[in-house]
Amino acid sequence: MSQGNLQIIDCPPKHLEDYHQFTPEIVDEVQTLANHFRGLKVAHVNATALGGGVAEILRCLVPLQNDAGLQSSWYVIPPDDAFFEVTKQIHNFLQGKEGALTPEQRQIYIEYNRFLGALLSKIDTDVLIIHDPQPAAALTFLTGAKPKLALWRCHIDTSTPNRSVWDFLLPFLKNFDHYVFTMAEYTNSAFPQDKISLITPHIDPLSPKNIPMNKEEAKNYLTRFGINPSQPLITQISRFDPWKDPKGVIDAYRLAKKEFPDLQLAMVAQMATDDPEGVRIYEEVKSYAKSEAGIFLFTNLPDNDLAVNAFQTASDIILQKSIREGFGLTVTEAMWKGAVVVGGSVGGIKLQIQDGVNGFLVNSPSEAAARVILLLKNPQLKSQLSQAARRQVLDNFLMPHKFLQYLQLFSKLNLSLLLPQPPNLPLPFRVLPP
Ligand code: UDP
């Protein structure tokens, strides 16, 4: 344990101007506001460069922040099997799993964060943004000067955390200056209201995963994976994780298949490096699927972004049958492509899907199956929901929105005053949504 160094992730450049075509007013506002923070050093720290929503967000946010004149960087902590076993448990406990950390697990978490604290001390930054619980205690163990602002960005659903695990983390979390959650429900009154801001994740409409793909081409693309383009297809794109309810997805599929015998189900996953549980759950799901014809399980597909794009574009319906979901970028990505999503009525999925308006919210495999059947039988309904789905993402969940929300937060916290020469510009004041 305690080896390795921080990995700096080198993101290809992106240009704000290119996003003007989607949300011109937001991009203009970003450009104006960003002038106040030129030169501000921002360091993002998280646990993985691959797999999961946080990596997806940082891959776009960091280069855009740089394009706007901030000095933004992204650091990934060195991997450690024992530590990641513990932090995946912590993730599960914070999302409500019962049980407790053993003294040994607590020790592993603390000691690894002590090691990370020493590594993070070497980063020269004004603002340190630590994402999620894995490296959250590292702030407590910084050996040098503290950054001017330390912010904890929690992406998971902490609305009903396991009390003992939350209480274990709380003394470490209390050292942050400010907290960002996705939804008000997740803040669970642990921190003073004036130290909390809400920012939702967003997608990059220009990433290879989200650029428009022709539906027929997408269908053809999927034939390489054994998918029959002339049979209906439903897909869930998610890590193999208990909260994504993979067995419930198979149950829903089996029920819908009674009406549509040639229905196919694809479950597409990327094994995140910080999620050791993924392989175990995959094996469980595989045995639950019993090699049934029509069920396809995929992990770490080649050309991941293109493959995800093809599945989201070509599928008749996208499922996201989570029973807890911090946000669910897969929902956003699919809705952006005009796919109709049948999603679990939980957490961030409820922020995105309005039941019956731009998708469907469900509470059980049988409800999911009923919605799948309804949609497969009603192409007109599907087309209505599809248009509303894309609109929802355009209006609320494209990356320039997120960048703006961060800048608004920086304004609220008067971060421009931290700069050696604060810009002599009138600061447009805008209150963040509650
Ligand atoms: N993802 C991917 N390839 C896969 C499965 C998932 O690139 O095979 C991506 C997916 O497109 C999304 C992210 O992983 O961008 C998952 O984010 P989400 O917020 O849905 O869930 P999380 O994994 O963070 O809980």
Side-chain angles (χ1 to χ4, degrees), residues 75-312:
Y75 298 86
V76 170
I77 61 172
D80 182 273
D81 292 346
F83 177 67
F84 283 158
E85 282 288 347
V86 173
T87 55
K88 184 65 204 284
Q89 285 307 313
I90 290 179
H91 173 105
N92 291 340
F93 285 132
L94 291 185
Q95 295 219 122
K97 188 182 161 193
E98 290 182 0
L101 289 170
T102 63
E104 196 200 351
Q105 288 175 320
R106 287 172 180 231
Q107 192 65 15
I108 289 174
Y109 181 76
I110 291 172
E111 286 315 315
Y112 203 71
N113 266 284
R114 193 188 303 281
F115 160 64
L116 295 177
L119 295 183
L120 296 194
S121 301
K122 295 179 198 153
I123 300 177
D124 171 24
T125 189
D126 300 313
V127 182
L128 178 64
I129 305 182
I130 294 190
H131 294 260
D132 282 339
Q134 297 94 328
L139 180 71
T140 307
F141 299 115
L142 291 185
T143 52
K146 289 226 156 57
K148 289 162 188 152
L149 181 98
L151 199 149
W152 189 49
R153 196 333 178 184
C154 178
H155 295 264
I156 60 184
D157 176 349
T158 47
S159 51
T160 53
N162 175 306
R163 227 44 252 186
S164 75
V165 175
W166 186 246
D167 288 346
F168 162 67
L169 289 176
L170 212 47
F172 303 114
L173 299 178
K174 289 221 156 134
N175 291 323
F176 285 89
D177 302 301
H178 203 83
Y179 307 87
V180 175
F181 291 89
T182 300
M183 295 173 75
E185 291 95 299
Y186 298 172
T187 61
N188 77 52
S189 68
F191 311 109
Q193 278 306 310
D194 62 342
K195 287 191 166 193
I196 294 175
S197 296
L198 304 178
I199 298 181
T200 57
H202 294 82
I203 60 160
D204 178 2
L206 293 176
S207 82
K209 186 180 280 180
N210 294 319
I211 53 174
M213 195 171 186
N214 174 284
K215 195 159 184 136
E216 287 314 305
E217 273 173 34
K219 285 190 171 201
N220 279 336
Y221 191 85
L222 297 189
T223 55
R224 74 189 60 195
F225 304 125
I227 305 288
N228 185 332
S230 56
Q231 293 175 214
L233 171 67
I234 59 176
T235 299
Q236 173 152 308
I237 294 169
S238 271
R239 289 178 295 107
F240 282 105
D241 175 296
W243 306 105
K244 313 279 184 187
D245 196 17
K247 290 183 186 168
V249 169
I250 293 181
D251 292 342
Y253 165 74
R254 286 181 171 144
L255 288 171
K257 200 175 172 180
K258 290 183 181 160
E259 291 250 356
F260 289 89
D262 60 350
L263 187 63
Q264 306 170 96
L265 166 69
M267 299 180 75
V268 181
Q270 207 173 26
M271 296 299 186
T273 47
D274 65 336
D275 184 1
E277 208 179 19
V279 177
R280 291 197 292 274
I281 308 276
Y282 170 75
E283 290 302 332
E284 280 175 30
V285 174
K286 197 171 152 196
S287 88
Y288 197 69
K290 295 195 189 110
S291 310
E292 182 174 326
I295 301 183
F296 299 82
L297 305 185
F298 301 109
T299 57
N300 296 348
L301 285 174
D303 285 329
N304 173 70
D305 284 5
L306 189 57
V308 169
N309 195 338
F311 272 104
Q312 288 170 337

